[in-house]
Amino acid sequence: MKVGIDMGQVSSSLASGAANGSSAMLDLEELLATRLLVQGNSGSGKSHLLRRLLEQSAPMVQQAVIDPEGDFVTLAEKFGHVVVDAARSEGDLQRIAARVRQHRVSVVLNLEGLDTEAQMRCAAAFLGGLFDADRDLWYPMLVVVDEAQLFAPSAAGEVSDETRKISLGAMTNLMCRGRKRGLAGIIATQRLAKLAKNVAAEASNFLMGRTFLDIDMARAADLLGMERRQAEMFRDLERGHFVALGPALCRRPVPVRIGEVATSARSGSFKLMPLPEQPKEEARDLIFTAGDDEIVRPVVQRRAAPPPPAATNDLLAQLARSRPAAAETAPEMTAESKAEREIVLDAILREILADSEAAFRTVAVLYQDFLVRCRIRRVSGEPPNLPAFRRRLAVARAGVDAETAAGAEWGRAMTFASDLAEDIQGVYLLLARAALTGATCPPDGEIARSCGSRSPGRARRLVAYLESRNLVVTRNDPRGLRIIALPDLGWETGPGDPNAYEEPVAAPDTGDLFAVG
């Protein structure tokens, strides 16, 4: 059975077939499935429209109102809505929202008096509690969000990114996934440009009120499927007049005049009043002298915004500077101490690369890990800079042992590789190590791993690129195995199967926080 509620009167037929002056009916069951977007400048009558909708549907369906200005708390007197004061913890609001769905009580979440960031967090917590209710409690509910641009802003504002992300996620869940949970989102905004697109796009019903900016009129006309020349009508709409479209309203755009309401907002409409007549001296006394019944409120000192958190490198440098003075005046390093230092640095690098996932981390992440380990082990002297670390990393990924690395032949390979781009140095050194030691040609998987990839196709492309630059020459032996020669060094790998690579198995947990595992 179709359940309709009377929103007012149709003020013009406008190619819809509706008679002028007939009732503008809204199909409540269709609204539960298709959601509603209300747009209009301040003073166009959005709150009046929402109040009419809430009053007409209050006996038929459960309601929850997100009220940033406290305008809808008057619904409690006539329609029995429970007013929930948002000055609570987020956990309390989530639990209250769960009880609201359990007991099917209509509520108004009063956010009045809170700053914008607190309003966004409280609304997100409450909407999250409604959304996360058990499946057995998924009864139909109208969720009305006034001033929706506050809770789903299209761009970052004065609030933190975390708060905006939380609030926007809750509004997105309401509009995108709420239908299956019985939640019908009804959102009202002053400007569509201020509202996040993924929230506005989920509404299928529209009530567009008075607006003056050309871009807003054009967007409203586009949403209603009207011609651009008709967009001027939104500038001429009176207060409380809207253009309606949607499966729950009508199939063609129809101007509607919203009907009367039984309750009123606490703020009301402001009327001009004459100023009181009094002498100038008495006016000064009234301003600068406290009255007998005046409540003296303490001055609230506003705290400055906290500074951004310090970077990891700055914290580590600060810790290093805070060491005792005796540690800062380290003795000059001898040849023996330098050799020991190199051994420790190589050991640290081997520990890092022992992790099976280390090959796929960026150089910057590995360098941060390397610096932390150096400080933990109190390695003397300044740690290697990033370019030096890249060279060490390329050598380590090539799998060169200490004896080979100390030889003059390997020095030739390092000198030649230093002129290559960083993304192919590791691949070239891997091939050079295999050719120098007479090992088989590395398979594609091992080549890809040396450049931080799992794709054999990337390895083949890198080898092809090296060959196009005449840095390597590839050929196959009679068995179809690949051989790669390095003409500048005069070396050649042994024949190897390019598809013979297997992923290494991670080492067992040894209890070391920085070890493999």
Side-chain angles (χ1 to χ4, degrees):
M1 183 181 67
K2 181 176 180 179
V3 179
I5 59 176
D6 185 4
M7 293 299 296
Q9 290 183 336
V10 177
S11 58
S12 172
S13 58
L14 194 64
S16 65
N20 187 14
S22 62
S23 297
M25 303 300 295
L26 185 148
D27 188 344
L28 188 56
E29 289 190 345
E30 188 68 27
L31 177 64
L32 291 171
T34 53
R35 298 167 291 279
L36 171 65
L37 170 63
V38 181
Q39 188 242 342
N41 288 155
S42 178
S44 62
K46 296 188 305 299
S47 298
H48 179 82
L49 184 153
L50 295 178
R51 188 177 296 275
R52 173 77 178 189
L53 173 60
L54 290 168
E55 291 180 359
Q56 293 292 313
S57 61
M60 307 174 190
V61 66
Q62 184 186 5
Q63 300 171 347
V65 185
I66 308 299
D67 187 5
E69 299 295 338
D71 287 337
F72 295 93
V73 297
T74 53
L75 293 172
E77 301 174 5
K78 188 172 181 64
F79 297 95
H81 290 62
V82 175
V83 178
V84 179
D85 189 356
R88 306 169 184 266
S89 68
E90 295 178 20
D92 286 344
L93 291 174
Q94 288 180 336
R95 289 186 287 270
I96 290 173
R99 299 188 200 110
V100 166
R101 298 219 69 180
Q102 178 182 359
H103 300 292
R104 304 185 66 184
V105 177
S106 294
V107 296
V108 177
L109 179 64
N110 184 15
L111 301 170
E112 185 182 17
L114 302 179
D115 59 35
T116 303
E117 188 155 352
Q119 285 186 344
M120 295 174 71
R121 285 187 170 274
C122 290
F126 190 80
L127 291 174
L130 297 178
F131 186 84
D132 295 334
D134 294 337
R135 180 180 291 271
D136 296 337
L137 306 178
W138 289 359
Y139 301 109
M141 172 188 282
L142 295 181
V143 183
V144 177
V145 183
D146 195 13
E147 305 296 346
Q149 73 277 357
L150 296 177
F151 309 105
S154 60
E158 297 179 356
V159 299
S160 64
D161 289 340
E162 179 187 4
T163 299
R164 177 177 177 269
K165 185 182 298 184
I166 293 172
S167 181
L168 182 57
M171 289 290 291
T172 303
N173 282 338
L174 170 65
M175 297 300 290
C176 298
R177 302 169 58 198
R179 183 184 64 83
K180 293 184 178 179
R181 290 163 171 77
L183 302 176
I186 300 174
I187 56 177
T189 181
Q190 294 182 4
R191 291 191 59 198
L192 285 173
K194 293 182 178 181
L195 188 66
K197 291 183 178 179
N198 59 337
V199 173
E202 294 301 322
S204 301
N205 300 285
F206 305 98
L207 282 162
M208 298 298 178
R210 182 175 58 201
T211 186
F212 292 96
L213 290 180
D214 292 342
I215 185 174
D216 291 335
M217 291 190 294
R219 290 190 63 181
D222 288 340
L223 283 175
L224 299 180
M226 301 167 60
E227 296 180 4
R228 289 299 179 95
R229 60 184 178 83
Q230 295 178 293
E232 292 288 336
M233 68 174 296
F234 294 106
R235 183 177 290 153
D236 301 327
L237 290 175
E238 299 179 12
R239 176 182 172 86
H241 288 241
F242 292 80
V243 180
L245 177 69
L249 294 162
C250 48
R251 297 296 177 178
R252 294 290 184 272
V254 174
V256 173
R257 179 171 58 85
I258 305 301
E260 299 297 327
V261 294
T263 61
S264 61
R266 292 187 300 175
S267 58
S269 299
F270 297 99
K271 304 295 183 180
L272 290 176
M273 298 177 61
L275 295 174
E277 295 182 1
Q278 52 193 356
K280 181 178 180 181
E281 291 75 13
E282 293 183 8
R284 290 177 60 87
D285 292 339
L286 290 175
I287 296 298
F288 296 110
T289 305
D292 296 336
D293 57 347
E294 183 174 340
I295 300 176
V296 180
R297 298 181 179 179
V299 178
V300 178
Q301 298 292 337
R302 294 187 177 273
R303 294 180 297 177
T312 304
N313 284 343
D314 295 339
L315 290 175
L316 293 175
Q318 184 178 357
L319 290 174
R321 289 194 299 269
S322 63
R323 293 179 182 174
E328 295 179 0
T329 57
E332 185 177 355
M333 296 184 65
T334 62
E336 183 177 355
S337 61
K338 289 182 179 180
E340 293 176 355
R341 179 176 181 274
E342 292 297 317
I343 293 175
V344 175
L345 293 178
D346 290 340
I348 293 174
L349 193 54
R350 285 196 300 272
E351 288 180 4
I352 294 174
L353 295 181
D355 186 351
S356 58
E357 294 297 317
F360 311 109
R361 298 191 179 106
T362 63
V363 176
V365 172
L366 296 178
Y367 185 56
Q368 291 292 337
D369 191 5
F370 180 77
L371 292 179
V372 171
R373 293 173 188 264
C374 289
R375 288 187 171 89
I376 291 175
R377 297 199 180 185
R378 298 188 180 276
V379 177
S380 59
E382 287 292 328
N385 55 22
L386 185 57
F389 175 77
R390 288 180 183 275
R391 291 191 292 271
R392 284 179 175 272
L393 184 63
V395 174
R397 282 177 168 172
V400 181
D401 55 38
E403 182 179 355
T404 303
E409 290 296 307
W410 182 251
R412 290 176 53 211
M414 287 294 298
T415 301
F416 187 81
S418 62
D419 296 331
L420 303 179
E422 291 182 353
D423 57 342
I424 61 173
Q425 278 186 8
V427 176
Y428 186 83
L429 290 177
L430 176 66
L431 299 175
R433 186 268 304 166
L436 177 61
T437 59
T440 59
C441 180
D444 291 336
E446 186 176 350
I447 295 175
R449 186 181 179 86
S450 68
C451 60
S453 173
R454 289 188 171 92
S455 171
R458 175 172 170 79
R460 290 190 289 270
R461 289 192 296 272
L462 286 174
V463 172
Y465 173 76
L466 290 173
E467 189 168 15
S468 68
R469 299 291 301 273
N470 298 322
L471 299 173
V472 300
V473 177
T474 61
R475 61 185 177 88
N476 293 333
D477 71 350
R479 295 170 296 172
L481 301 180
R482 182 173 62 186
I483 299 173
I484 297 182
L486 287 74
D488 296 285
L489 300 176
W491 304 341
E492 184 178 87
T493 68
D497 184 359
N499 302 315
Y501 179 74
E502 294 183 0
E503 285 282 348
V505 181
D509 187 6
T510 60
D512 183 0
L513 292 177
F514 296 95
V516 180

